[in-house]
Amino acid sequence: LRWEPLCRQQLRHLQDGARIAARLPPRLEGRWVSTGECEVRPGPEFLTRSYLFYATRLFKAYQFYYWDPSCRDPSYTLLIKGKLRLRQASWITRGATEADYHLHKVGIVFHSQRAMREVASWINQTSVEGCRGFLPPGRTWAPGALYELLSAKTERDCTAALGFAMHELSLVRVEKHYQPLLRPGQSGSQLVEELYLGDIHTDWLERLHYRPTGYQRPMQSAVHHVHPCPACGIIYRADEHHPPILPARAQLPMQLSGSWVSTRCEVRPAVLFLTRYFVFHGNNHTWEGYYYHYSDPLCKQPTFTIYASGHYSQGIPSSKVRGGTELAFKVTQARVTPMDAVTVMMLNSSEPGSCGLTSSWSAGVEQDITATNGCLALGIKLPHTEYELFKTEQDTRDRSLLYIGERPTDGSSPDSPDKRPTSYQAPLVQCAGASEEFPSYVSLKYSGRKDANGKEALKPLPVAFLLFIAVLFLRWD
């Protein structure tokens, strides 16, 4: 079957590591801003961020919260000050640096009477000593007034009611790559720097003490960012008294038909790196997808590939996440291809009848797992229904983007309506229209070397044992 050239080109670009450099430990000094779009956190919460790190290890961070998914109607702003100390490379998340942080102050500025009344009611209902009566009922909103939520000096902390924590600062990664100049008649490229901070737990009750092992959407350097980015300057110039109002965007109808591919090597909690490739057939509501799993943050060392297919329901607008569409996905078939010695060993040692033919796995050879109702070792159950959240948007380069619901942080599946996501994963970019066909198989060559017979031998991984343990807990997307 025929590959659409852009899809093949995009996946090859990701598999080649996309010429990304990541220094350990990273350099954080300077201003970092949201990537020019409204961020959606579990809840849902809609926000933009602007973080400033000083050479003295001090930092000042703005989190701007909104009522709407377009980040045009501000609710309140948090002003966060503290100190950050980078530590050693993470033993859990390859390519990341662990860090310790200490908060000095957190203040809040309300942008309407409604916001003031709502947040005050949350805080007044808490049982935290010294926080009840945070703001007296009926207190009139004062534009620009800064109210103290946390102070290290007085040991007062009233942030828990907002679900606020800065544990994202405990896991840090900075990536550098070069973006081709897009203006007509120009050649060359420009530096882009992105800051990855720890992910936010999808369960509101867990986020206050969760220590990240994955990342949230990256922030960009205010100096070296992707172009064009109309919102970057708006966010850069904003402060607690002047929250950024993002440019209006047209609401796109949900049009899934076509092929979609990852825009970057994606990182999930529990040591999981992957790229994704999907096709949706709108005429009969069927879908197919490839999930390419890796052991490294540049997606260069394949571990296993999953092919899955099934059908999906008619979408309805989400009542919980404005701008989102709710769908149900049925997974009816799946195939697995182990790509390294660790995964082969794990699958061959799995319980008989729980994952394909017993002790028959070998590297680079695909096997159907439908007959065994999935693969217990990889957390795949068949048939299987997932309750999903989708949205489509256009980026500043007029590319169509597809956002699929964020996976539960605990590694479970959204297999009931109450577990439906309220936030999104990294977007996929459309690489082919509805008329293109899906490949029968998309091969990934594992990184290897020649053995004595001239055949390609598997290259042992330095984290083989850790991967063997970790893969037992992996959940595919």
Side-chain angles (χ1 to χ4, degrees):
L1 292 176
R2 186 163 58 93
W3 259 91
E4 210 285 335
L6 285 177
C7 300
R8 190 197 300 102
Q9 179 183 336
Q10 174 69 7
L11 264 183
R12 184 183 296 130
H13 172 68
L14 294 175
Q15 291 157 14
D16 287 345
R19 295 180 295 280
I20 291 171
R23 173 178 159 177
L24 288 175
R27 289 183 63 90
L28 296 182
E29 290 84 1
R31 173 82 66 177
W32 304 84
V33 297
S34 295
T35 55
E37 62 185 46
C38 195
E39 300 182 34
V40 184
R41 284 185 173 180
E45 291 179 328
F46 308 111
L47 76 157
T48 58
R49 295 175 293 159
S50 176
Y51 292 3
L52 177 61
F53 295 94
Y54 299 94
T56 57
R57 297 181 181 172
L58 295 174
F59 69 86
K60 180 170 72 171
Y62 292 111
Q63 293 182 353
F64 307 100
Y65 289 83
Y66 302 80
W67 298 109
D68 67 305
S70 301
C71 288
R72 293 181 53 79
D73 185 9
S75 170
Y76 63 87
T77 294
L78 296 182
L79 171 58
I80 306 138
K81 294 182 178 181
K83 194 166 189 175
L84 181 73
R85 183 175 69 89
L86 297 177
R87 295 171 55 211
Q88 73 277 355
S90 172
W91 282 68
I92 300 174
T93 307
R94 290 184 67 185
T97 298
E98 294 179 355
D100 291 327
Y101 72 92
H102 180 68
L103 297 181
H104 298 158
K105 285 186 177 182
V106 178
I108 186 169
V109 175
F110 303 105
H111 302 304
S112 67
Q113 181 73 35
R114 174 190 170 195
M116 182 179 188
R117 186 168 57 246
E118 189 165 295
V119 173
S121 69
W122 298 340
I123 297 175
N124 289 339
Q125 290 170 14
T126 68
S127 58
V128 178
E129 189 64 34
C131 293
R132 291 187 296 274
F134 172 72
L135 287 174
R139 177 78 174 265
T140 304
W141 169 54
L146 180 67
Y147 300 92
E148 190 177 81
L149 288 173
L150 178 149
S151 170
K153 283 187 177 180
T154 63
E155 297 185 350
R156 185 192 198 201
D157 184 358
C158 301
T159 60
L162 279 71
F164 169 82
M166 286 299 285
H167 299 328
E168 62 193 272
L169 294 177
S170 62
L171 197 69
V172 181
R173 176 178 170 86
V174 172
E175 288 188 357
K176 295 183 179 183
H177 66 273
Y178 286 88
Q179 176 196 21
L181 294 173
L182 300 175
R183 298 183 183 92
Q186 284 189 320
S187 60
S189 57
Q190 59 193 14
L191 177 64
V192 174
E193 290 185 288
E194 293 181 312
L195 170 63
Y196 288 82
L197 297 176
D199 61 309
I200 310 299
H201 203 289
T202 53
D203 185 338
W204 184 277
L205 298 177
E206 298 290 334
R207 62 196 293 180
L208 294 182
H209 52 81
Y210 169 66
R211 295 299 176 185
T213 56
Y215 305 119
Q216 55 188 304
R217 295 293 307 282
M219 304 175 78
Q220 297 185 111
S221 163
V223 178
H224 304 293
H225 59 78
V226 171
H227 290 271
C229 183
C232 289
I234 298 173
I235 299 172
Y236 175 80
R237 291 187 294 270
D239 59 31
E240 67 270 32
H241 306 300
H242 307 92
I245 310 297
L246 298 194
R249 284 187 178 182
Q251 283 282 349
L252 293 181
M254 174 59 65
Q255 294 181 337
L256 277 183
S257 295
S259 300
W260 308 81
V261 67
S262 294
T263 59
R264 63 177 78 241
C265 182
E266 300 172 17
V267 185
R268 303 281 171 76
V271 205
L272 180 56
F273 307 99
L274 80 161
T275 58
R276 298 172 290 155
Y277 177 67
F278 288 101
V279 70
F280 297 95
H281 305 286
N283 57 341
N284 59 6
H285 277 222
T286 59
W287 69 277
E288 301 172 87
Y290 280 92
Y291 309 82
Y292 303 101
H293 295 77
Y294 303 83
S295 63
D296 69 297
L298 294 181
C299 288
K300 286 186 174 182
Q301 300 173 8
T303 53
F304 61 95
T305 297
I306 297 172
Y307 164 82
S309 63
H311 56 270
Y312 60 95
S313 68
Q314 186 74 35
I316 59 170
S318 172
S319 59
K320 198 166 186 179
V321 186
R322 285 173 55 191
T325 300
E326 295 180 354
L327 301 100
F329 273 73
K330 188 76 173 279
V331 188
T332 54
Q333 291 184 310
R335 303 194 294 266
V336 172
T337 308
M339 302 299 286
D340 71 342
V342 175
T343 307
V344 170
M345 179 175 62
M346 183 198 68
L347 294 178
N348 279 331
S349 62
S350 61
E351 186 178 338
S354 68
C355 187
L357 295 174
T358 305
S359 302
S360 64
W361 295 95
S362 58
V365 179
E366 183 182 62
Q367 189 174 150
D368 197 314
I369 57 170
T370 307
T372 52
N373 298 319
C375 180
L376 187 62
L378 296 178
I380 305 172
K381 297 178 183 177
L382 296 174
H384 181 63
T385 300
E386 297 198 340
Y387 295 84
E388 269 296 358
L389 180 73
F390 275 51
K391 74 170 177 177
T392 52
E393 285 186 356
Q394 273 192 314
D395 66 8
T396 54
R397 292 155 60 185
D398 293 327
R399 299 181 305 172
S400 294
L401 301 178
L402 173 63
Y403 292 81
I404 302 178
E406 191 171 356
R407 309 299 296 174
T409 306
D410 63 6
S412 64
S413 170
D415 53 8
S416 61
D418 63 298
K419 294 181 70 175
R420 192 186 301 274
T422 56
S423 57
Y424 302 98
Q425 303 172 42
L428 306 170
V429 64
Q430 189 167 38
C431 56
S435 61
E436 299 298 337
E437 296 183 63
F438 198 72
S440 58
Y441 184 72
V442 186
S443 174
L444 278 186
K445 291 289 185 183
Y446 47 75
S447 175
R449 56 174 181 264
K450 305 292 183 184
D451 61 16
N453 299 319
K455 296 181 180 179
E456 191 166 64
L458 287 172
K459 181 179 180 180
L461 298 175
V463 290
F465 179 71
L466 287 175
L467 279 174
F468 179 72
I469 299 301
V471 80
L472 294 174
F473 300 96
L474 294 186
R475 291 296 183 267
W476 61 291
D477 183 77

